[in-house]
């Protein structure tokens, strides 16, 4: 792998223009195609030529992919094997009025700017076309082209070596949601292809916490017994009050047509409130009452709202008595009096019975910076407006003790009886309609693991092995002899994740990389994580393989994803790669074909060359045996393929917990009630034996975060940085898309008074730093961000200078890798400082056309 001989191919490519680069790729494909690996058709049109008219083009309905907050239709217009244009739903592509009239009952699924810009990502200069092997030091970004044979043999041999030497926990599964919203080619922590592959190889450490919303997940499971606690978004159109609590759907998509339904609500007289450290575009659109709040103090403000509601007797006592456990003394379970952790009830906590401190609006004002009178006004409004949707989003839970914020919000939703009713909202995680999500074998091999840790603790685990306690890394308990065994991680697979760029405390991750012996990155483009890999495997995008798309949390439809074009270069789907690796590992370990066949039962080894019939067989079977059999669908597979989309028509708007509230069905909790007092938490006796590791109160409580605007640490680091999701990217995806980059710059938002004091003006280059890292980025000065707070969107492509300073403005250089007890990533619990800077800012690899140079160019 470290052979430096064959760099000529790459160096030759460096001087190519984009146009000749693509032509060269097609030619390269033809050459290898002679060996039978890939097709030989030359591309007949070039992607950047002026648009041909529609009658010269073939039109293919497909969908967008990614973990982007939604799932929309994309329409590919292609000439020959090249996509020359991308449009979206305009109602033409479904027949018989099945979809797309753009009415409340039948809305279109129209893509956003990102989806419509996809062509630039597909044909980007950052596209990985061949397997690449590292030739320089790890992280240096020097690679050479290698063959699939070399790449896969190297990986297989190394896997065997690491398993033999370090045991069944040596390989860390870092697949994530880059491609988890398809049914077949899935990257996913739980249901994914990598998990199945490493599990069957009997060498897998898995990560159990989810960056998006682990605090929220914990809360939803404890309180409602499920994460399917969301209504479909059309129900917002029936709300009379929507409280957007840390929720900015104008930027951060949260479903397909959320904004459309919120607009309908507005037109029908709904009031909007925003509780957020920044005044968002969502607030501007609906003329919302903005309540700026100090980051991470949300649980305190919600507690004070509960205080106002209880002390004014505005709670719905009948709902509480019927449906809640532990809301007050009258709803305590019998066993509670005998439980050390379970004796407290929520109302008495709020009134101060246990600690002598009523959680009054004045008490909360000192914590949150929100005037007590505003807390009262909002509490009154929420308790007296029906139906009202308190949409408590995930970002305020992506914090130290974030789970307490979500539980507190659930308590308010319950005490005001806004659960199970149209126009209310019980939403925590908020999954609504249930999709049939997996088309490949989901059997006893699907999720085998030998250790599972909190995801953001992997670097800590690698750097401190073996001197680690189970609570340090949130080790998941097991029933067998592996219980308590700290994983000895020596290799990482990134599949559908850019986690070196996206997990907390990147500098610590970089330090841990040095201790690894195998790093594999499977992606369709070179990414910041890819720079640290030993082997880069080029993955075919969702335009280049056959699948069916799932909605993202909201929406009830499937979109067919045919193979629109042949895979670019030598790229393969993840499923092809794992299948071929399974065959190779089988032979090398004396299992013969058994591993390959068990991994992908419908395939032979031929799958690496021609996956289409097998993919079709899986998808057809999934449609027939799951969708048609379980979901009352009578449309045959062939017809679905011809239409491109299947939209379920629900008899009435989907409202979570409607049956519980209207028909008395039990909630899925141990008590069958909404558990404000969690039975599960109340019964824990030794926290170190749980995956949480540390104490969690049985009822929702305000707990001080470890760094925030009221902590002594502000003497050194006076600003609280939050890092929301960017409108113009999906995390790191699309950072390299020039069209989207014309609409924005990565910048840090700072309050005007703070900026004046520091002599910072819009456009000035500033640096942000704390003890974990330093980043350089331009400033944007505004009144829309509250004093003391900095907003830096996550996802910029890391670009380090020789001193380890990030010139791109990547927020995760500053975040902390200490998770909350329930597993929430503390992405928004960050103190730092800011000043004007002379350090260099680099707006992005693509912008300076440095990407390929950075990755592939050696000192010439
Ligand atoms: N500071 C800060 N950091 C954050 C957050 C925050 O709020 N603040 N949010 C966090 C959250 S919620 C999330 S979900 C994470 C997201 O973190 P990631 O999942 O790492 O983010 P993405 O940029 O979506 O990376 C997905 C990668 O998968 C690749 N990919 C797409 N399709 C496929 C495929 O079919 N196969 C393979 N092999 N690869 C594919 C894409 O090219 C991309 O490089 O970021 C987290 N990071
Ligand atoms: N365009 C786009 N949409 C996306 C994504 C994307 O990358 N791009 N990612 C998707 C994914 S994977 C996820 S997990 C979701 C995330 O969805 P969310 O968690 O809802 O989104 P964020 O953008 O992180 O934050 C939303 C708002 O919370 C505010 N906020 C931050 N900290 C606090 C706090 O402590 N208290 C309060 N009250 N407010 C706070 C921010 O200012 C922001 O306005 O978004 C999804 N949608
Ligand atoms: S919201 Fe997501 S699925 Fe929809 S077009 Fe944009 S990036 Fe694609
Ligand atoms: Mo996420």
């Amino acid at each position: 792998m470290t052979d430096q001989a064959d760099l000529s191919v790459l160096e030759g490519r460096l001087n190519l223009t984009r146009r000749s680069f693509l032509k060269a790729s097609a030619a390269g494909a033809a050459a290898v195609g002679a060996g039978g690996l890939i097709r030989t058709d030359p591309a007949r049109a070039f992607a950047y030529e002026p648009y041909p008219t529609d009658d010269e083009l073939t039109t293919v309905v497909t969908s967008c992919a990614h973990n982007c907050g939604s799932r929309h239709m994309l329409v590919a217009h292609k000439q020959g094997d090249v996509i020359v244009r991308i449009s979206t739903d305009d109602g033409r592509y479904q027949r018989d009025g099945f979809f797309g009239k753009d009415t409340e009952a039948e809305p279109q699924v129209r893509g956003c700017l990102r989806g419509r810009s996809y062509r630039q990502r597909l044909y980007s200069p950052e596209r990985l076309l061949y397997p690449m092997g590292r030739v320089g030091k790890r992280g240096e970004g020097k690679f050479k082209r290698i063959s699939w044979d070399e790449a896969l043999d190297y990986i297989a041999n190394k896997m065997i070596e690491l398993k033999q030497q370090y045991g069944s926990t040596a390989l860390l599964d870092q697949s994530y949601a880059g491609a988890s919203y398809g049914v077949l080619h899935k990257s996913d922590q739980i249901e994914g292809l990598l998990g199945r592959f490493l599990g069957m190889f009997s060498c897998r450490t898995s990560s159990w916490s989810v960056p998006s919303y682990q605090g929220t997940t914990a809360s939803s499971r404890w309180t409602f017994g499920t994460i399917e606690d969301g209504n479909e978004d059309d129900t917002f159109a029936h709300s009379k009050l929507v409280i957007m609590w840390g929720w900015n759907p104008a930027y951060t998509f949260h479903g397909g047509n959320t904004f459309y339904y919120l607009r309908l609500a507005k037109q029908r007289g709904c009031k909007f409130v925003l509780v957020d450290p920044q005044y968002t575009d969502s607030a501007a659109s609906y003329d919302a009452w903005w309540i700026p709040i100090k980051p991470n103090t949300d649980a305190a403000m919600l507690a004070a709202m509960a205080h106002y509601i209880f002390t004014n007797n505005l709670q719905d006592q009948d709902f509480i008595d019927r449906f809640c456990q532990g809301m007050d003394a009258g709803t305590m379970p019998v066993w509670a009096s005998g439980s050390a952790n379970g004796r407290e009830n929520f109302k008495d906590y709020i009134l101060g019975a246990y600690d002598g401190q009523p959680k009054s609006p004045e008490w909360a004002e000192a914590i949150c910076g929100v005037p007590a009178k505003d807390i009262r006004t909002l509490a009154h409004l929420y308790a007296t407006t029906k139906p009202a949707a308190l949409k408590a989003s995930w970002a305020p839970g992506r914090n130290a003790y974030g789970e307490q914020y979500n539980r507190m919000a659930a308590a308010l939703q319950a005490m005001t009886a806004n659960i199970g009713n149209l126009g209310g909202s019980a939403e925590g995680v908020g999954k609504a309609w249930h999709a049939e999500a997996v088309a490949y074998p989901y059997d006893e091999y699907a999720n085998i693991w030998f250790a599972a840790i909190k995801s953001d603790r992997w670097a800590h685990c690698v750097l401190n092995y073996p001197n680690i306690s189970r609570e340090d890394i949130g080790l998941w308990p097991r029933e067998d002899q592996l219980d308590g065994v700290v994983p000895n991680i020596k290799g990482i697979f990134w599949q559908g994740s850019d986690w070196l760029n996206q997990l907390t405390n990147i500098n610590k991750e970089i330090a841990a990389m040095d201790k690894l012996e195998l790093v594999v990155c499977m992606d369709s483009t070179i990414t910041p994580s890819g720079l640290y890999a030993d082997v880069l495997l080029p993955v075919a995008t969702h335009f280049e393989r056959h699948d069916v798309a799932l909605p993202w949390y909201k929406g009830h439809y499937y979109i067919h994803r045919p193979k629109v074009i042949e895979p670019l270069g030598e790229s393969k789907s993840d499923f092809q790669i794992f299948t071929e690796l399974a065959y190779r590992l089988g032979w090398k370990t004396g299992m013969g074909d058994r591993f390959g066949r068990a991994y992908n039962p419908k395939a032979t080894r031929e799958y690496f060359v021609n996956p289409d019939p097998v993919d079709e067989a899986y998808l057809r079977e999934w449609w027939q045996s799951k969708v048609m059999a379980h979901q009352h669908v009578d449309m045959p597979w062939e017809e679905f393929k011809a239409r491109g989309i299947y939209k379920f028509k629900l008899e009435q708007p989907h409202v979570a917990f409607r049956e519980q509230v209207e028909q008395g069905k039990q909630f899925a909790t141990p008590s069958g009630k909404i558990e404000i007092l969690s039975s599960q938490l109340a019964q824990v006796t030794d926290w170190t034996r749980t995956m949480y590791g540390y104490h969690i109160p049985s009822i929702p409580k305000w707990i001080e975060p470890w760094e925030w605007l009221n902590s002594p640490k502000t003497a050194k680091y006076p600003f609280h940085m939050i890092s929301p999701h960017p409108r113009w990217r999906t995390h790191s995806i699309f950072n390299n898309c020039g069209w989207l980059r014309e609409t924005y710059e990565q910048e840090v938002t700072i309050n005007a008074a703070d900026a004046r004091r520091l002599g910072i003006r819009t456009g000035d280059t500033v640096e942000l730093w704390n003890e974990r890292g330093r980043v350089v980025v331009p400033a944007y000065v505004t009144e829309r961000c509250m004093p003391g707070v900095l907003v830096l969107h996550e996802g910029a492509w890391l670009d380090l200078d020789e001193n380890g300073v990030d010139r791109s403005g990547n927020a995760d250089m500053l975040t902390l890798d200490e998770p909350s007890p329930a597993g929430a990533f503390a992405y928004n619990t960050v103190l730092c400082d800011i000043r004007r800077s002379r350090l260099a800012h680099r707006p992005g690899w693509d912008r300076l056309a440095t990407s390929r140079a950075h990755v592939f160019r050696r000192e010439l």
Side-chain angles (χ1 to χ4, degrees):
M1 295 300 293
T2 50
D3 168 21
Q4 307 242 343
D6 182 26
L7 285 158
S8 53
V9 183
L10 284 170
E11 286 172 0
R13 268 175 42 196
L14 291 174
N15 297 325
L16 301 181
T17 60
R18 288 182 171 196
R19 172 188 284 251
S20 58
F21 170 67
L22 280 185
K23 280 186 181 155
S25 318
V32 186
L37 270 179
I38 44 177
R39 52 171 244 105
T40 52
D41 292 0
R44 296 227 329 270
F46 179 71
Y48 292 90
E49 268 160 12
Y51 295 151
T53 53
D54 251 358
D55 55 0
E56 297 171 273
L57 302 173
T58 316
T59 298
V60 187
V61 175
T62 181
S63 90
C64 198
H66 305 153
N67 182 22
C68 66
S70 197
R71 190 72 50 241
H72 291 113
M73 179 188 290
L74 293 183
V75 183
H77 304 260
K78 58 172 202 160
Q79 188 169 62
D81 200 35
V82 175
I83 297 175
V84 295
R85 186 144 54 89
I86 286 179
S87 65
T88 187
D89 198 2
D90 63 3
R92 258 186 302 171
Y93 302 103
Q94 308 83 40
R95 275 171 268 146
D96 310 334
F98 228 80
F99 209 73
K101 290 182 186 156
D102 212 18
T103 61
E104 189 173 354
E106 293 173 81
Q108 292 175 10
V109 271
R110 282 202 292 267
C112 79
L113 222 53
R114 288 171 293 166
R116 296 186 204 193
S117 308
Y118 206 103
R119 200 163 61 92
Q120 256 199 355
R121 181 176 145 75
L122 184 65
Y123 296 116
S124 82
E126 283 76 34
R127 192 65 206 263
L128 276 173
L129 298 172
Y130 314 101
M132 308 285 272
R134 173 166 69 83
V135 290
K137 287 210 307 256
R138 193 175 281 134
E140 209 179 359
K142 290 180 182 165
F143 296 91
K144 68 163 184 155
R145 181 178 170 182
I146 54 178
S147 68
W148 271 111
D149 238 6
E150 282 175 274
L152 297 180
D153 267 342
Y154 178 83
I155 295 169
N157 290 338
K158 208 71 194 168
M159 286 175 72
I160 293 168
E161 185 188 313
L162 294 182
K163 183 177 155 194
Q164 273 167 358
Q165 210 171 333
Y166 303 107
S168 58
T169 59
L171 297 173
L172 178 65
D173 173 349
Q174 282 201 334
S175 55
Y176 198 54
S180 59
Y181 298 94
V183 298
L184 188 58
H185 302 283
K186 240 179 166 51
S187 67
D188 191 302
Q189 275 166 305
I190 297 164
E191 293 171 332
L193 293 167
L194 176 61
R196 178 180 170 82
F197 169 66
L198 293 179
M200 286 176 83
F201 180 61
S202 295
C203 189
R204 176 179 179 226
T205 290
S206 107
S207 316
W208 64 262
S209 58
V210 177
S212 312
Y213 50 51
Q214 195 62 41
T216 314
T217 304
S219 162
S220 292
R221 286 200 202 285
W222 294 328
T223 314
F224 301 116
T226 175
I227 59 171
E228 292 182 12
D229 54 4
N231 303 343
E232 285 285 4
D233 279 353
D234 54 346
T235 61
F236 281 124
H238 303 271
S239 299
K240 296 222 163 57
L241 170 69
V242 172
I243 304 176
M244 301 184 286
W245 203 298
W247 190 47
N248 179 18
Y251 259 50
T252 314
F253 272 71
H254 255 261
N257 284 311
T258 322
F259 231 62
Y260 171 65
Y261 296 119
L262 291 176
R263 194 178 76 211
L264 290 179
K266 180 75 185 171
Q267 286 164 353
R268 291 166 190 172
C270 177
K271 289 197 184 70
F272 284 78
V273 179
L274 170 75
V275 184
D276 200 306
Q278 53 166 343
Y279 181 74
T280 61
D281 281 3
S282 305
S285 307
Y286 305 124
D287 188 24
W289 171 29
W290 176 35
I291 303 179
I293 184 170
K294 286 184 190 169
N296 295 205
T297 66
D298 305 273
M301 176 159 164
L302 288 159
M305 288 170 66
H307 185 274
Y308 176 89
I309 291 171
F310 281 137
T311 52
N312 289 281
N313 212 18
L314 292 173
Q315 74 275 20
D316 187 325
Q317 196 61 44
D318 180 48
F319 187 94
I320 292 172
D321 293 342
R322 285 172 62 205
F323 299 114
C324 297
Q325 167 172 293
M327 181 75 90
D328 53 18
T331 54
M332 288 299 275
V334 184
W335 53 260
S337 57
S339 151
N341 288 323
R343 289 198 195 117
E344 294 178 349
N345 72 72
F346 182 65
K347 184 173 178 183
D348 283 338
Y349 163 75
I350 293 291
L351 298 180
Y354 306 120
D355 55 4
Q357 175 61 67
K359 312 301 173 296
S360 65
E362 282 71 20
W363 164 83
E365 175 173 339
I367 295 169
C368 317
V370 179
K373 71 171 181 7
D374 288 347
I375 299 178
R376 285 196 187 89
T377 306
L378 181 60
H380 192 86
L381 193 64
Y382 183 50
T384 56
T385 311
K386 266 294 186 62
L390 167 55
K391 164 63 193 160
S393 198
W394 307 338
R398 222 176 282 118
N399 280 333
Y401 307 106
E403 62 272 12
Q404 299 306 322
Y405 142 78
N406 279 110
R407 297 176 75 196
M408 201 67 87
L412 274 152
Q413 291 158 349
M415 74 173 67
T416 58
N418 273 304
I419 293 176
N421 61 333
L422 183 62
S425 171
E427 189 164 323
V429 174
K431 277 197 186 224
W433 175 79
H434 190 89
E436 290 288 349
V438 188
Y440 68 92
Y442 196 65
D443 50 20
E444 73 270 27
Y445 302 123
N447 187 20
I448 299 170
W449 49 268
F450 302 88
I453 60 174
K454 285 180 180 171
S455 317
D456 41 356
R457 293 310 266 172
W458 80 266
H460 189 85
C461 185
V462 168
L463 287 170
N464 296 288
Y465 184 86
N467 302 314
I468 296 166
S469 63
R470 55 191 300 159
E471 59 270 24
D472 276 345
I473 51 171
L475 203 56
W476 196 283
R478 288 177 67 100
E479 308 267 285
D480 58 15
Q481 73 282 4
L482 285 174
D483 184 51
V485 174
V486 171
N488 189 5
I489 297 165
K490 290 291 175 184
I492 284 193
F493 279 75
W494 283 309
Q495 184 226 356
S497 66
D498 190 4
W499 272 15
L500 194 103
N501 202 63
Q502 295 298 122
L503 293 193
T504 42
N505 203 350
I506 291 177
N507 273 321
K508 195 161 167 182
E509 291 194 276
I510 291 174
M513 295 306 297
D514 279 344
K515 303 220 162 188
L516 300 180
E517 297 178 26
L518 174 66
V519 182
V520 179
C521 183
M522 304 167 64
D523 210 305
S524 53
T525 48
I526 179 72
T527 59
S529 302
L531 288 184
Y532 287 81
D534 300 336
V535 186
L536 300 168
L537 300 179
V539 174
T541 69
H542 70 281
F543 285 106
E544 298 152 75
R545 63 191 192 215
H546 192 183
D547 211 335
V548 172
L550 300 165
W552 191 95
Y553 291 89
K554 302 293 179 69
H556 31 281
Y557 51 85
Y558 295 112
I559 307 179
H560 183 235
R561 266 187 205 152
K563 188 193 239 186
V564 181
I565 54 171
E566 289 298 320
L568 292 193
E570 291 183 7
S571 55
K572 304 276 175 193
S573 74
D574 298 290
F575 204 10
Q576 282 178 289
I577 296 169
F578 292 131
T579 303
E580 177 63 19
L581 266 174
Y583 275 104
R584 286 175 194 243
L585 284 166
W587 299 327
K588 287 174 194 284
T589 56
M591 284 189 281
D593 281 352
R594 285 205 309 282
F595 187 2
R597 272 210 302 267
Y599 181 72
N600 186 347
K602 287 197 196 302
T604 63
R605 233 201 121 203
E606 170 75 10
Y607 189 65
F608 197 61
V609 182
N610 178 19
D612 298 349
V614 173
D615 288 353
E616 167 83 15
Y618 277 121
L619 293 167
R620 178 194 299 274
E621 182 178 277
W622 163 81
W623 184 264
Q624 288 168 347
S625 69
K626 295 196 172 155
V627 179
M628 293 184 74
H630 299 165
Q631 296 190 300
H632 313 294
V633 170
D634 54 14
M635 182 185 285
W637 169 243
E638 297 300 335
E639 190 182 339
F640 169 59
K641 287 205 298 181
R643 288 180 188 276
I645 184 163
Y646 184 90
K647 168 106 199 295
F648 289 79
K649 285 195 177 167
L650 306 179
E651 280 163 22
Q652 54 181 350
H654 175 93
V655 173
F657 310 127
R658 193 198 282 266
E659 287 167 321
Q660 280 80 349
V661 170
E662 289 180 0
Q663 294 156 27
K665 192 181 153 196
Q666 300 271 291
F667 285 84
T669 51
S671 62
K673 305 244 175 173
I674 299 170
E675 293 202 348
I676 309 303
L677 167 78
S678 160
S679 309
Q680 190 195 331
L681 295 176
Q683 279 151 26
V684 176
T685 49
D686 179 358
W687 290 95
T688 64
R689 309 295 298 176
T690 63
M691 64 280 202
Y692 311 125
Y694 301 94
H695 173 261
I696 299 172
S698 306
I699 51 169
K701 287 188 175 177
W702 154 249
I703 305 173
E704 262 195 47
W706 46 74
E707 49 185 79
W708 61 305
L709 283 175
N710 290 18
S711 66
K713 225 181 139 181
T714 48
K716 190 154 187 211
Y717 298 116
F719 287 89
H720 193 130
M721 183 194 80
I722 52 174
S723 46
H725 293 209
R727 181 171 56 181
W728 49 86
R729 283 193 298 262
T730 301
H731 315 290
S732 69
I733 300 175
F734 298 113
N735 190 65
N736 61 333
C737 176
W739 291 337
L740 293 170
R741 292 296 290 268
E742 282 173 25
T743 69
Y744 83 100
E745 281 300 339
Q746 177 76 357
E747 59 200 6
V748 60
T749 303
I750 180 171
N751 172 268
D754 288 335
R756 195 175 318 116
R757 193 164 38 79
L758 298 172
I760 294 171
R761 292 193 301 190
T762 291
D764 284 354
T765 301
V766 295
E767 58 188 276
L768 276 63
W769 75 98
N770 60 19
E771 66 270 43
R772 296 177 288 269
R774 190 177 297 268
V775 304
V776 185
V777 69
Y780 178 72
V781 177
T782 174
E783 302 281 348
R784 289 172 58 152
C785 173
M786 69 185 281
V789 173
L790 301 174
V791 182
L792 182 65
H793 287 100
E794 55 110 313
W797 284 18
L798 190 70
D799 186 355
L800 299 183
D801 74 8
E802 57 285 359
N803 299 315
V805 174
D806 169 45
R807 298 169 284 203
S808 77
N810 183 312
D812 284 306
M813 291 294 284
L814 306 181
T815 51
L816 176 63
D817 60 313
E818 289 284 351
S820 194
F825 284 60
Y827 282 121
N828 288 316
T829 304
V830 178
L831 288 181
C832 65
D833 204 355
I834 181 171
R835 67 175 177 216
R836 286 179 60 178
S837 178
R838 288 181 186 281
L839 292 173
H841 163 63
R842 297 219 303 184
W845 297 3
D846 64 295
R847 192 55 193 282
L848 297 176
T850 56
S851 62
R852 202 124 37 86
H854 189 65
V855 177
F856 300 130
R857 186 185 290 152
R858 307 177 63 232
E859 301 303 332
L860 296 177

